[in-house]
PDB file of all heavy atoms in Angstrom:
ATOM      1  N   HIS A   1      -1.591  12.464  -5.166  1.00 89.00           N
ATOM      2  CA  HIS A   1      -2.057  11.621  -4.060  1.00 89.00           C
ATOM      3  C   HIS A   1      -3.528  11.902  -3.801  1.00 89.00           C
ATOM      4  O   HIS A   1      -3.904  13.007  -3.423  1.00 89.00           O
ATOM      5  CB  HIS A   1      -1.234  11.900  -2.800  1.00 89.00           C
ATOM      6  CG  HIS A   1      -1.616  11.049  -1.631  1.00 89.00           C
ATOM      7  ND1 HIS A   1      -1.477   9.673  -1.616  1.00 89.00           N
ATOM      8  CD2 HIS A   1      -2.157  11.379  -0.425  1.00 89.00           C
ATOM      9  CE1 HIS A   1      -1.886   9.203  -0.461  1.00 89.00           C
ATOM     10  NE2 HIS A   1      -2.317  10.212   0.280  1.00 89.00           N
ATOM     11  N   LYS A   2      -4.365  10.903  -4.042  1.00 88.00           N
ATOM     12  CA  LYS A   2      -5.807  10.987  -3.797  1.00 88.00           C
ATOM     13  C   LYS A   2      -6.445  12.197  -4.468  1.00 88.00           C
ATOM     14  O   LYS A   2      -7.228  12.931  -3.863  1.00 88.00           O
ATOM     15  CB  LYS A   2      -6.100  10.995  -2.294  1.00 88.00           C
ATOM     16  CG  LYS A   2      -5.692   9.712  -1.589  1.00 88.00           C
ATOM     17  CD  LYS A   2      -6.043   9.733  -0.116  1.00 88.00           C
ATOM     18  CE  LYS A   2      -5.675   8.419   0.557  1.00 88.00           C
ATOM     19  NZ  LYS A   2      -6.021   8.417   1.989  1.00 88.00           N
ATOM     20  N   GLY A   3      -6.089  12.438  -5.733  1.00 91.00           N
ATOM     21  CA  GLY A   3      -6.723  13.493  -6.511  1.00 91.00           C
ATOM     22  C   GLY A   3      -6.203  14.892  -6.247  1.00 91.00           C
ATOM     23  O   GLY A   3      -6.785  15.862  -6.728  1.00 91.00           O
ATOM     24  N   ARG A   4      -5.084  15.012  -5.506  1.00 91.00           N
ATOM     25  CA  ARG A   4      -4.493  16.316  -5.229  1.00 91.00           C
ATOM     26  C   ARG A   4      -3.000  16.283  -5.566  1.00 91.00           C
ATOM     27  O   ARG A   4      -2.398  15.216  -5.651  1.00 91.00           O
ATOM     28  CB  ARG A   4      -4.695  16.708  -3.759  1.00 91.00           C
ATOM     29  CG  ARG A   4      -6.134  17.031  -3.401  1.00 91.00           C
ATOM     30  CD  ARG A   4      -6.569  18.344  -4.049  1.00 91.00           C
ATOM     31  NE  ARG A   4      -7.891  18.762  -3.630  1.00 91.00           N
ATOM     32  CZ  ARG A   4      -9.015  18.404  -4.212  1.00 91.00           C
ATOM     33  NH1 ARG A   4      -8.974  17.571  -5.248  1.00 91.00           N
ATOM     34  NH2 ARG A   4     -10.171  18.855  -3.789  1.00 91.00           N
ATOM     35  N   CYS A   5      -2.404  17.458  -5.733  1.00 92.00           N
ATOM     36  CA  CYS A   5      -1.000  17.565  -6.112  1.00 92.00           C
ATOM     37  C   CYS A   5      -0.168  18.100  -4.949  1.00 92.00           C
ATOM     38  O   CYS A   5      -0.575  19.061  -4.288  1.00 92.00           O
ATOM     39  CB  CYS A   5      -0.850  18.477  -7.335  1.00 92.00           C
ATOM     40  SG  CYS A   5      -1.747  17.875  -8.797  1.00 92.00           S
ATOM     41  N   TYR A   6       1.010  17.476  -4.717  1.00 92.00           N
ATOM     42  CA  TYR A   6       1.872  17.863  -3.599  1.00 92.00           C
ATOM     43  C   TYR A   6       3.317  17.964  -4.079  1.00 92.00           C
ATOM     44  O   TYR A   6       3.721  17.282  -5.031  1.00 92.00           O
ATOM     45  CB  TYR A   6       1.790  16.830  -2.464  1.00 92.00           C
ATOM     46  CG  TYR A   6       0.407  16.655  -1.887  1.00 92.00           C
ATOM     47  CD1 TYR A   6      -0.479  15.716  -2.425  1.00 92.00           C
ATOM     48  CD2 TYR A   6      -0.025  17.413  -0.807  1.00 92.00           C
ATOM     49  CE1 TYR A   6      -1.752  15.547  -1.898  1.00 92.00           C
ATOM     50  CE2 TYR A   6      -1.288  17.242  -0.274  1.00 92.00           C
ATOM     51  CZ  TYR A   6      -2.147  16.313  -0.824  1.00 92.00           C
ATOM     52  OH  TYR A   6      -3.405  16.144  -0.298  1.00 92.00           O
ATOM     53  N   ALA A   7       4.099  18.787  -3.371  1.00 91.00           N
ATOM     54  CA  ALA A   7       5.527  18.899  -3.679  1.00 91.00           C
ATOM     55  C   ALA A   7       6.266  17.628  -3.280  1.00 91.00           C
ATOM     56  O   ALA A   7       7.292  17.281  -3.867  1.00 91.00           O
ATOM     57  CB  ALA A   7       6.127  20.102  -2.965  1.00 91.00           C
ATOM     58  N   ALA A   8       5.757  16.894  -2.282  1.00 89.00           N
ATOM     59  CA  ALA A   8       6.311  15.609  -1.847  1.00 89.00           C
ATOM     60  C   ALA A   8       5.162  14.748  -1.342  1.00 89.00           C
ATOM     61  O   ALA A   8       4.115  15.270  -0.958  1.00 89.00           O
ATOM     62  CB  ALA A   8       7.354  15.808  -0.754  1.00 89.00           C
ATOM     63  N   CYS A   9       5.360  13.440  -1.353  1.00 86.00           N
ATOM     64  CA  CYS A   9       4.304  12.541  -0.895  1.00 86.00           C
ATOM     65  C   CYS A   9       4.001  12.805   0.582  1.00 86.00           C
ATOM     66  O   CYS A   9       4.916  12.988   1.385  1.00 86.00           O
ATOM     67  CB  CYS A   9       4.725  11.089  -1.081  1.00 86.00           C
ATOM     68  SG  CYS A   9       4.772  10.563  -2.809  1.00 86.00           S
ATOM     69  N   PRO A  10       2.723  12.830   0.968  1.00 84.00           N
ATOM     70  CA  PRO A  10       2.367  13.041   2.378  1.00 84.00           C
ATOM     71  C   PRO A  10       2.952  11.953   3.263  1.00 84.00           C
ATOM     72  O   PRO A  10       3.317  10.869   2.792  1.00 84.00           O
ATOM     73  CB  PRO A  10       0.827  12.990   2.357  1.00 84.00           C
ATOM     74  CG  PRO A  10       0.456  13.294   0.949  1.00 84.00           C
ATOM     75  CD  PRO A  10       1.544  12.728   0.101  1.00 84.00           C
ATOM     76  N   GLU A  11       3.055  12.236   4.547  1.00 79.00           N
ATOM     77  CA  GLU A  11       3.616  11.288   5.505  1.00 79.00           C
ATOM     78  C   GLU A  11       2.831   9.979   5.485  1.00 79.00           C
ATOM     79  O   GLU A  11       1.611   9.957   5.492  1.00 79.00           O
ATOM     80  CB  GLU A  11       3.592  11.897   6.915  1.00 79.00           C
ATOM     81  CG  GLU A  11       4.261  11.037   7.962  1.00 79.00           C
ATOM     82  CD  GLU A  11       4.264  11.692   9.335  1.00 79.00           C
ATOM     83  OE1 GLU A  11       3.770  12.843   9.439  1.00 79.00           O
ATOM     84  OE2 GLU A  11       4.761  11.076  10.275  1.00 79.00           O
ATOM     85  N   GLY A  12       3.573   8.883   5.461  1.00 73.00           N
ATOM     86  CA  GLY A  12       2.943   7.569   5.428  1.00 73.00           C
ATOM     87  C   GLY A  12       2.702   7.039   4.030  1.00 73.00           C
ATOM     88  O   GLY A  12       2.200   5.925   3.870  1.00 73.00           O
ATOM     89  N   SER A  13       3.061   7.800   3.002  1.00 77.00           N
ATOM     90  CA  SER A  13       2.901   7.342   1.623  1.00 77.00           C
ATOM     91  C   SER A  13       4.221   7.529   0.877  1.00 77.00           C
ATOM     92  O   SER A  13       5.075   8.307   1.288  1.00 77.00           O
ATOM     93  CB  SER A  13       1.779   8.107   0.924  1.00 77.00           C
ATOM     94  OG  SER A  13       2.082   9.484   0.849  1.00 77.00           O
ATOM     95  N   PHE A  14       4.363   6.789  -0.239  1.00 76.00           N
ATOM     96  CA  PHE A  14       5.610   6.786  -0.975  1.00 76.00           C
ATOM     97  C   PHE A  14       5.314   6.725  -2.464  1.00 76.00           C
ATOM     98  O   PHE A  14       4.262   6.237  -2.886  1.00 76.00           O
ATOM     99  CB  PHE A  14       6.472   5.580  -0.567  1.00 76.00           C
ATOM    100  CG  PHE A  14       6.759   5.512   0.907  1.00 76.00           C
ATOM    101  CD1 PHE A  14       5.868   4.893   1.774  1.00 76.00           C
ATOM    102  CD2 PHE A  14       7.900   6.082   1.431  1.00 76.00           C
ATOM    103  CE1 PHE A  14       6.103   4.834   3.129  1.00 76.00           C
ATOM    104  CE2 PHE A  14       8.155   6.031   2.792  1.00 76.00           C
ATOM    105  CZ  PHE A  14       7.264   5.413   3.643  1.00 76.00           C
ATOM    106  N   ALA A  15       6.264   7.226  -3.261  1.00 77.00           N
ATOM    107  CA  ALA A  15       6.127   7.154  -4.718  1.00 77.00           C
ATOM    108  C   ALA A  15       6.304   5.705  -5.145  1.00 77.00           C
ATOM    109  O   ALA A  15       7.334   5.085  -4.884  1.00 77.00           O
ATOM    110  CB  ALA A  15       7.166   8.043  -5.385  1.00 77.00           C
ATOM    111  N   ALA A  16       5.298   5.150  -5.774  1.00 65.00           N
ATOM    112  CA  ALA A  16       5.286   3.724  -6.102  1.00 65.00           C
ATOM    113  C   ALA A  16       6.056   3.455  -7.380  1.00 65.00           C
ATOM    114  O   ALA A  16       5.780   4.046  -8.419  1.00 65.00           O
ATOM    115  CB  ALA A  16       3.843   3.228  -6.245  1.00 65.00           C
ATOM    116  N   ASN A  17       7.051   2.531  -7.275  1.00 62.00           N
ATOM    117  CA  ASN A  17       7.783   2.024  -8.445  1.00 62.00           C
ATOM    118  C   ASN A  17       8.341   3.143  -9.332  1.00 62.00           C
ATOM    119  O   ASN A  17       8.276   3.086 -10.556  1.00 62.00           O
ATOM    120  CB  ASN A  17       6.874   1.106  -9.269  1.00 62.00           C
ATOM    121  CG  ASN A  17       6.390  -0.084  -8.473  1.00 62.00           C
ATOM    122  OD1 ASN A  17       7.099  -0.588  -7.614  1.00 62.00           O
ATOM    123  ND2 ASN A  17       5.181  -0.541  -8.754  1.00 62.00           N
ATOM    124  N   GLY A  18       8.884   4.186  -8.716  1.00 65.00           N
ATOM    125  CA  GLY A  18       9.516   5.253  -9.471  1.00 65.00           C
ATOM    126  C   GLY A  18       8.566   6.180 -10.198  1.00 65.00           C
ATOM    127  O   GLY A  18       8.992   6.983 -11.022  1.00 65.00           O
ATOM    128  N   THR A  19       7.276   6.114  -9.916  1.00 73.00           N
ATOM    129  CA  THR A  19       6.308   6.994 -10.563  1.00 73.00           C
ATOM    130  C   THR A  19       6.132   8.259  -9.734  1.00 73.00           C
ATOM    131  O   THR A  19       6.787   8.448  -8.710  1.00 73.00           O
ATOM    132  CB  THR A  19       4.956   6.289 -10.727  1.00 73.00           C
ATOM    133  OG1 THR A  19       4.395   6.045  -9.418  1.00 73.00           O
ATOM    134  CG2 THR A  19       5.115   4.959 -11.447  1.00 73.00           C
ATOM    135  N   ILE A  20       5.232   9.128 -10.179  1.00 83.00           N
ATOM    136  CA  ILE A  20       4.940  10.359  -9.431  1.00 83.00           C
ATOM    137  C   ILE A  20       3.599  10.241  -8.710  1.00 83.00           C
ATOM    138  O   ILE A  20       3.011  11.240  -8.322  1.00 83.00           O
ATOM    139  CB  ILE A  20       4.942  11.577 -10.367  1.00 83.00           C
ATOM    140  CG1 ILE A  20       3.945  11.385 -11.514  1.00 83.00           C
ATOM    141  CG2 ILE A  20       6.327  11.850 -10.909  1.00 83.00           C
ATOM    142  CD1 ILE A  20       3.763  12.617 -12.375  1.00 83.00           C
ATOM    143  N   GLU A  21       3.123   9.008  -8.536  1.00 86.00           N
ATOM    144  CA  GLU A  21       1.889   8.768  -7.786  1.00 86.00           C
ATOM    145  C   GLU A  21       2.239   8.195  -6.423  1.00 86.00           C
ATOM    146  O   GLU A  21       2.976   7.220  -6.322  1.00 86.00           O
ATOM    147  CB  GLU A  21       0.960   7.824  -8.555  1.00 86.00           C
ATOM    148  CG  GLU A  21       0.424   8.417  -9.844  1.00 86.00           C
ATOM    149  CD  GLU A  21      -0.637   7.527 -10.483  1.00 86.00           C
ATOM    150  OE1 GLU A  21      -1.131   6.618  -9.790  1.00 86.00           O
ATOM    151  OE2 GLU A  21      -0.962   7.749 -11.647  1.00 86.00           O
ATOM    152  N   CYS A  22       1.717   8.808  -5.381  1.00 85.00           N
ATOM    153  CA  CYS A  22       2.004   8.372  -4.018  1.00 85.00           C
ATOM    154  C   CYS A  22       1.064   7.245  -3.630  1.00 85.00           C
ATOM    155  O   CYS A  22      -0.126   7.272  -3.933  1.00 85.00           O
ATOM    156  CB  CYS A  22       1.849   9.531  -3.034  1.00 85.00           C
ATOM    157  SG  CYS A  22       2.894  10.954  -3.419  1.00 85.00           S
ATOM    158  N   SER A  23       1.610   6.273  -2.937  1.00 73.00           N
ATOM    159  CA  SER A  23       0.791   5.174  -2.422  1.00 73.00           C
ATOM    160  C   SER A  23       1.280   4.835  -1.032  1.00 73.00           C
ATOM    161  O   SER A  23       2.424   5.100  -0.670  1.00 73.00           O
ATOM    162  CB  SER A  23       0.884   3.948  -3.333  1.00 73.00           C
ATOM    163  OG  SER A  23       2.220   3.495  -3.410  1.00 73.00           O
ATOM    164  N   GLY A  24       0.410   4.228  -0.224  1.00 63.00           N
ATOM    165  CA  GLY A  24       0.741   3.882   1.146  1.00 63.00           C
ATOM    166  C   GLY A  24       0.676   2.382   1.356  1.00 63.00           C
ATOM    167  O   GLY A  24       0.412   1.611   0.439  1.00 63.00           O
ATOM    168  N   PRO A  25       0.923   1.926   2.609  1.00 56.00           N
ATOM    169  CA  PRO A  25       0.883   0.495   2.905  1.00 56.00           C
ATOM    170  C   PRO A  25      -0.433  -0.161   2.556  1.00 56.00           C
ATOM    171  O   PRO A  25      -0.467  -1.335   2.233  1.00 56.00           O
ATOM    172  CB  PRO A  25       1.132   0.447   4.421  1.00 56.00           C
ATOM    173  CG  PRO A  25       1.851   1.719   4.715  1.00 56.00           C
ATOM    174  CD  PRO A  25       1.306   2.730   3.756  1.00 56.00           C
ATOM    175  N   ALA A  26      -1.541   0.619   2.611  1.00 51.00           N
ATOM    176  CA  ALA A  26      -2.845   0.028   2.301  1.00 51.00           C
ATOM    177  C   ALA A  26      -2.945  -0.418   0.855  1.00 51.00           C
ATOM    178  O   ALA A  26      -3.823  -1.180   0.500  1.00 51.00           O
ATOM    179  CB  ALA A  26      -3.964   1.026   2.601  1.00 51.00           C
ATOM    180  N   GLN A  27      -2.012   0.061  -0.007  1.00 66.00           N
ATOM    181  CA  GLN A  27      -2.070  -0.279  -1.409  1.00 66.00           C
ATOM    182  C   GLN A  27      -1.154  -1.447  -1.753  1.00 66.00           C
ATOM    183  O   GLN A  27      -0.901  -1.716  -2.919  1.00 66.00           O
ATOM    184  CB  GLN A  27      -1.714   0.941  -2.257  1.00 66.00           C
ATOM    185  CG  GLN A  27      -2.746   2.058  -2.134  1.00 66.00           C
ATOM    186  CD  GLN A  27      -2.413   3.251  -2.999  1.00 66.00           C
ATOM    187  OE1 GLN A  27      -1.303   3.377  -3.484  1.00 66.00           O
ATOM    188  NE2 GLN A  27      -3.380   4.125  -3.189  1.00 66.00           N
ATOM    189  N   CYS A  28      -0.614  -2.141  -0.740  1.00 77.00           N
ATOM    190  CA  CYS A  28       0.149  -3.357  -1.009  1.00 77.00           C
ATOM    191  C   CYS A  28      -0.781  -4.397  -1.628  1.00 77.00           C
ATOM    192  O   CYS A  28      -1.927  -4.535  -1.219  1.00 77.00           O
ATOM    193  CB  CYS A  28       0.743  -3.918   0.283  1.00 77.00           C
ATOM    194  SG  CYS A  28       2.157  -2.998   0.896  1.00 77.00           S
ATOM    195  N   GLU A  29      -0.242  -5.133  -2.575  1.00 82.00           N
ATOM    196  CA  GLU A  29      -1.040  -6.188  -3.206  1.00 82.00           C
ATOM    197  C   GLU A  29      -0.675  -7.509  -2.548  1.00 82.00           C
ATOM    198  O   GLU A  29       0.469  -7.962  -2.628  1.00 82.00           O
ATOM    199  CB  GLU A  29      -0.775  -6.236  -4.706  1.00 82.00           C
ATOM    200  CG  GLU A  29      -1.688  -7.195  -5.440  1.00 82.00           C
ATOM    201  CD  GLU A  29      -1.467  -7.169  -6.946  1.00 82.00           C
ATOM    202  OE1 GLU A  29      -0.707  -6.305  -7.413  1.00 82.00           O
ATOM    203  OE2 GLU A  29      -2.067  -8.021  -7.634  1.00 82.00           O
ATOM    204  N   MET A  30      -1.642  -8.120  -1.862  1.00 86.00           N
ATOM    205  CA  MET A  30      -1.403  -9.342  -1.101  1.00 86.00           C
ATOM    206  C   MET A  30      -2.177 -10.506  -1.712  1.00 86.00           C
ATOM    207  O   MET A  30      -3.236 -10.322  -2.317  1.00 86.00           O
ATOM    208  CB  MET A  30      -1.834  -9.159   0.360  1.00 86.00           C
ATOM    209  CG  MET A  30      -1.292  -7.919   1.039  1.00 86.00           C
ATOM    210  SD  MET A  30       0.490  -7.972   1.294  1.00 86.00           S
ATOM    211  CE  MET A  30       0.618  -9.297   2.496  1.00 86.00           C
ATOM    212  N   SER A  31      -1.651 -11.719  -1.537  1.00 91.00           N
ATOM    213  CA  SER A  31      -2.376 -12.910  -1.969  1.00 91.00           C
ATOM    214  C   SER A  31      -3.442 -13.265  -0.933  1.00 91.00           C
ATOM    215  O   SER A  31      -3.499 -12.676   0.149  1.00 91.00           O
ATOM    216  CB  SER A  31      -1.403 -14.078  -2.137  1.00 91.00           C
ATOM    217  OG  SER A  31      -0.904 -14.485  -0.858  1.00 91.00           O
ATOM    218  N   GLU A  32      -4.274 -14.246  -1.250  1.00 91.00           N
ATOM    219  CA  GLU A  32      -5.274 -14.723  -0.289  1.00 91.00           C
ATOM    220  C   GLU A  32      -4.577 -15.521   0.815  1.00 91.00           C
ATOM    221  O   GLU A  32      -3.495 -16.081   0.621  1.00 91.00           O
ATOM    222  CB  GLU A  32      -6.307 -15.605  -0.995  1.00 91.00           C
ATOM    223  CG  GLU A  32      -7.133 -14.874  -2.046  1.00 91.00           C
ATOM    224  CD  GLU A  32      -8.054 -13.831  -1.432  1.00 91.00           C
ATOM    225  OE1 GLU A  32      -8.464 -14.027  -0.270  1.00 91.00           O
ATOM    226  OE2 GLU A  32      -8.346 -12.831  -2.105  1.00 91.00           O
ATOM    227  N   TRP A  33      -5.209 -15.563   1.982  1.00 90.00           N
ATOM    228  CA  TRP A  33      -4.677 -16.358   3.082  1.00 90.00           C
ATOM    229  C   TRP A  33      -4.717 -17.838   2.717  1.00 90.00           C
ATOM    230  O   TRP A  33      -5.680 -18.325   2.139  1.00 90.00           O
ATOM    231  CB  TRP A  33      -5.476 -16.133   4.356  1.00 90.00           C
ATOM    232  CG  TRP A  33      -5.196 -14.825   5.035  1.00 90.00           C
ATOM    233  CD1 TRP A  33      -5.994 -13.729   5.053  1.00 90.00           C
ATOM    234  CD2 TRP A  33      -4.037 -14.489   5.798  1.00 90.00           C
ATOM    235  NE1 TRP A  33      -5.404 -12.717   5.775  1.00 90.00           N
ATOM    236  CE2 TRP A  33      -4.205 -13.152   6.253  1.00 90.00           C
ATOM    237  CE3 TRP A  33      -2.872 -15.174   6.147  1.00 90.00           C
ATOM    238  CZ2 TRP A  33      -3.247 -12.510   7.030  1.00 90.00           C
ATOM    239  CZ3 TRP A  33      -1.918 -14.520   6.929  1.00 90.00           C
ATOM    240  CH2 TRP A  33      -2.118 -13.211   7.361  1.00 90.00           C
ATOM    241  N   GLY A  34      -3.674 -18.562   3.074  1.00 91.00           N
ATOM    242  CA  GLY A  34      -3.654 -20.005   2.887  1.00 91.00           C
ATOM    243  C   GLY A  34      -4.420 -20.694   4.010  1.00 91.00           C
ATOM    244  O   GLY A  34      -4.874 -20.049   4.956  1.00 91.00           O
ATOM    245  N   PRO A  35      -4.567 -22.010   3.956  1.00 92.00           N
ATOM    246  CA  PRO A  35      -5.307 -22.738   5.013  1.00 92.00           C
ATOM    247  C   PRO A  35      -4.510 -22.753   6.319  1.00 92.00           C
ATOM    248  O   PRO A  35      -3.282 -22.585   6.322  1.00 92.00           O
ATOM    249  CB  PRO A  35      -5.449 -24.143   4.432  1.00 92.00           C
ATOM    250  CG  PRO A  35      -4.298 -24.280   3.481  1.00 92.00           C
ATOM    251  CD  PRO A  35      -4.075 -22.920   2.901  1.00 92.00           C
ATOM    252  N   TRP A  36      -5.226 -22.973   7.427  1.00 90.00           N
ATOM    253  CA  TRP A  36      -4.565 -23.086   8.723  1.00 90.00           C
ATOM    254  C   TRP A  36      -3.758 -24.373   8.772  1.00 90.00           C
ATOM    255  O   TRP A  36      -4.202 -25.423   8.320  1.00 90.00           O
ATOM    256  CB  TRP A  36      -5.589 -23.080   9.848  1.00 90.00           C
ATOM    257  CG  TRP A  36      -6.217 -21.739  10.085  1.00 90.00           C
ATOM    258  CD1 TRP A  36      -7.453 -21.336   9.698  1.00 90.00           C
ATOM    259  CD2 TRP A  36      -5.623 -20.622  10.763  1.00 90.00           C
ATOM    260  NE1 TRP A  36      -7.677 -20.035  10.081  1.00 90.00           N
ATOM    261  CE2 TRP A  36      -6.576 -19.569  10.740  1.00 90.00           C
ATOM    262  CE3 TRP A  36      -4.399 -20.403  11.380  1.00 90.00           C
ATOM    263  CZ2 TRP A  36      -6.332 -18.325  11.317  1.00 90.00           C
ATOM    264  CZ3 TRP A  36      -4.148 -19.165  11.955  1.00 90.00           C
ATOM    265  CH2 TRP A  36      -5.098 -18.142  11.917  1.00 90.00           C
ATOM    266  N   GLY A  37      -2.556 -24.291   9.333  1.00 91.00           N
ATOM    267  CA  GLY A  37      -1.709 -25.466   9.477  1.00 91.00           C
ATOM    268  C   GLY A  37      -2.113 -26.291  10.686  1.00 91.00           C
ATOM    269  O   GLY A  37      -3.022 -25.929  11.441  1.00 91.00           O
ATOM    270  N   PRO A  38      -1.453 -27.438  10.916  1.00 91.00           N
ATOM    271  CA  PRO A  38      -1.793 -28.298  12.061  1.00 91.00           C
ATOM    272  C   PRO A  38      -1.442 -27.634  13.386  1.00 91.00           C
ATOM    273  O   PRO A  38      -0.564 -26.766  13.453  1.00 91.00           O
ATOM    274  CB  PRO A  38      -0.945 -29.550  11.808  1.00 91.00           C
ATOM    275  CG  PRO A  38       0.211 -29.064  10.982  1.00 91.00           C
ATOM    276  CD  PRO A  38      -0.331 -27.978  10.123  1.00 91.00           C
ATOM    277  N   CYS A  39      -2.120 -28.054  14.423  1.00 91.00           N
ATOM    278  CA  CYS A  39      -1.846 -27.545  15.763  1.00 91.00           C
ATOM    279  C   CYS A  39      -0.503 -28.106  16.229  1.00 91.00           C
ATOM    280  O   CYS A  39      -0.240 -29.315  16.124  1.00 91.00           O
ATOM    281  CB  CYS A  39      -2.962 -27.976  16.712  1.00 91.00           C
ATOM    282  SG  CYS A  39      -2.935 -27.126  18.309  1.00 91.00           S
ATOM    283  N   SER A  40       0.366 -27.237  16.721  1.00 90.00           N
ATOM    284  CA  SER A  40       1.710 -27.671  17.110  1.00 90.00           C
ATOM    285  C   SER A  40       2.178 -26.883  18.325  1.00 90.00           C
ATOM    286  O   SER A  40       1.627 -25.833  18.665  1.00 90.00           O
ATOM    287  CB  SER A  40       2.690 -27.498  15.949  1.00 90.00           C
ATOM    288  OG  SER A  40       2.799 -26.128  15.611  1.00 90.00           O
TER     289      SER A  40
END
């Protein structure tokens, strides 16, 4: 995690996709925002 080794992922981070690399919510891959919809 961030260039250091830990016995478990630090709080707020998780092992991504079964690997031994910890990642947190900030590493979610998101699409671009779509256009604003009509006023309703």
Side-chain angles (χ1 to χ4, degrees):
H1 182 64
K2 296 182 178 181
R4 290 290 186 272
C5 300
Y6 300 89
C9 289
E11 185 178 358
S13 62
F14 304 86
N17 300 327
T19 66
I20 56 173
E21 294 188 14
C22 303
S23 60
Q27 294 181 345
C28 285
E29 187 177 353
M30 310 292 293
S31 69
E32 296 293 331
W33 285 105
W36 288 103
C39 192
S40 63

